[in-house]
């Protein structure tokens, strides 16, 4: 059952060095605050996974937290490269990074398989794809019923799934709506899960019937972190801070500038900084 904790305690209790972890979010609800707490606590040798690793994964890699990344598409959306990711791959700074690249379809199916307790995902795809040359975890199997050649990839079953959501009720159920990506599947596939939320409410009465609700028994820890997705957005609470993504390209282009920014904005800060930034954005309209 879900346990209500501070963010620091939730990360300390659930995320260990050497774990596999999915900080999931698809444009919307990216769990920046939780990832920053992992950096502050000095987590290392992590195998990180995500469908669209962007700025926060650049930060985890640049701070030396990541040993391997399993992903589909890596970039700073609307801007360009992930410069700390590229530096780790090409120059081994701060250390060499292992990668396992997939398509979006493969990642989504792999999370679904993990959530179902299956060893692998089987789907149509990858025929003629160049990724098969560099990723040995892309295999092909023959359907025993039709003889069709199908792609197979290992199920994704992270030790920890970390997501941001809109609300939790006092029983520990979690409410998401809008673009939800594979957050639900990641939580169901994981051994443990951390959910940061904007607020706690008594119940979800009157909320969208099309929303996703994760029942309390699927969640390990819940932490209230207003603004916990910033600079990504949380529907109905605050918009995407596009300026932060543009600024990141310059910050991440220089190692010293990157380290200075991380010290000032992550290492020397607490989750309260996210709420302060969001309040500033709202004040600007």
């Amino acid at each position: 059952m879900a346990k209500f904790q501070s963010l620091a305690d939730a990360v300390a209790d659930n995320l260990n060095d050497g774990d596999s972890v999915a900080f999931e979010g698809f444009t919307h609800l990216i769990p920046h605050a939780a990832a920053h707490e992992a950096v502050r606590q000095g987590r290392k040798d992590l195998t990180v996974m995500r469908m669209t690793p962007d700025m926060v994964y650049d930060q985890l890699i640049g701070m030396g937290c990541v040993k391997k990344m399993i992903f589909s598409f890596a970039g700073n959306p609307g801007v360009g490269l992930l410069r700390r990711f590229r530096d780790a791959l090409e120059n081994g700074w701060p250390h060499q990074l292992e990668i396992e690249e997939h398509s979006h379809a493969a990642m989504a199916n792999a999370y679904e398989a993990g959530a179902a307790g299956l060893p692998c995902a089987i789907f149509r795809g990858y025929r003629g794809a160049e990724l098969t040359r560099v990723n040995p975890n892309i295999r092909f199997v023959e359907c025993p019923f039709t003889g069709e050649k199908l792609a197979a990839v290992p199920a994704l079953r992270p030790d920890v799934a970390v997501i941001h959501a809109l609300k939790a009720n006092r029983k520990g159920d979690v409410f998401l709506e809008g673009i939800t990506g594979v957050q639900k599947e990641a939580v169901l596939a994981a051994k443990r899960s951390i959910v940061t939320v904007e607020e706690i409410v008594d119940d979800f009465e009157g909320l969208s019937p099309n929303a996703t609700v994760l029942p309390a028994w699927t969640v390990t820890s819940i932490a209230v972190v207003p603004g916990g997705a910033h600079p990504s957005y949380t529907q109905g609470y605050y918009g995407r801070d596009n300026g932060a993504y543009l600024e990141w390209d310059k910050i991440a282009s220089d190692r010293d500038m990157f380290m200075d920014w991380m010290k000032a904005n992550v290492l020397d800060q607490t989750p309260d900084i996210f709420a302060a930034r969001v309040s500033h954005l709202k004040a600007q309209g």
Side-chain angles (χ1 to χ4, degrees), residues 36-251:
H36 285 179
E37 184 59 33
V39 172
R40 280 191 291 273
Q41 294 190 17
R43 291 295 176 268
K44 60 185 179 180
D45 295 327
L46 300 175
T47 294
V48 297
M49 54 190 73
R50 189 164 142 207
M51 282 183 65
T52 53
D54 57 4
M55 188 168 90
V56 75
Y57 273 56
D58 215 24
Q59 294 165 1
L60 287 161
I61 291 166
M63 293 303 291
C65 301
V66 180
K67 176 181 71 175
K68 178 180 179 179
M69 185 163 75
I70 304 169
F71 69 103
S72 57
F73 172 82
N76 186 347
V79 181
L81 303 172
L82 290 181
R83 297 186 183 275
R84 294 298 92 223
F85 169 58
R86 183 168 183 171
D87 200 9
L89 278 178
E90 295 183 349
N91 304 307
W93 192 92
H95 57 245
Q96 199 62 50
L97 179 70
E98 300 173 46
I99 62 169
E100 181 178 327
E101 187 174 1
H102 285 284
S103 66
H104 281 346
M107 291 286 288
N109 277 281
Y111 276 124
E112 286 269 14
L118 297 172
C120 68
I122 299 173
F123 60 103
R124 288 190 175 94
Y126 280 139
R127 281 177 283 190
E130 292 292 312
L131 280 176
T132 58
R133 297 184 182 182
V134 296
N135 186 346
N137 276 333
I138 299 170
R139 312 281 179 89
F140 292 92
V141 297
E142 183 179 294
C143 174
F145 303 104
T146 66
E148 183 180 3
K149 185 180 179 181
L150 299 170
V153 296
L156 289 176
R157 304 189 72 178
D159 293 313
V160 189
V162 184
I163 66 170
H164 187 72
L166 283 72
K167 311 172 193 289
N169 64 23
R170 302 191 189 283
K171 295 185 295 183
D173 305 320
V174 171
F175 169 86
L176 303 96
E177 66 176 344
I179 299 174
T180 54
V182 292
Q183 286 98 313
K184 178 187 73 174
E185 290 79 6
V187 168
L188 294 177
K191 297 174 184 175
R192 303 179 297 279
S193 57
I194 300 168
V195 181
T196 56
V197 296
E198 294 292 327
E199 62 176 327
I200 302 294
V201 296
D202 290 329
D203 56 55
F204 300 146
E205 184 178 355
L207 297 177
S208 170
N210 296 317
T212 299
V213 176
L214 285 165
W217 60 267
T218 67
V219 177
T220 309
S221 295
I222 295 173
V224 181
V225 187
H230 180 266
S232 74
Y233 71 100
T234 296
Q235 181 171 301
Y237 289 85
Y238 46 90
R240 188 176 189 268
D241 185 355
N242 293 318
Y245 288 88
L246 291 168
E247 182 185 16
W248 183 251
D249 189 57
K250 179 180 179 181
I251 293 164

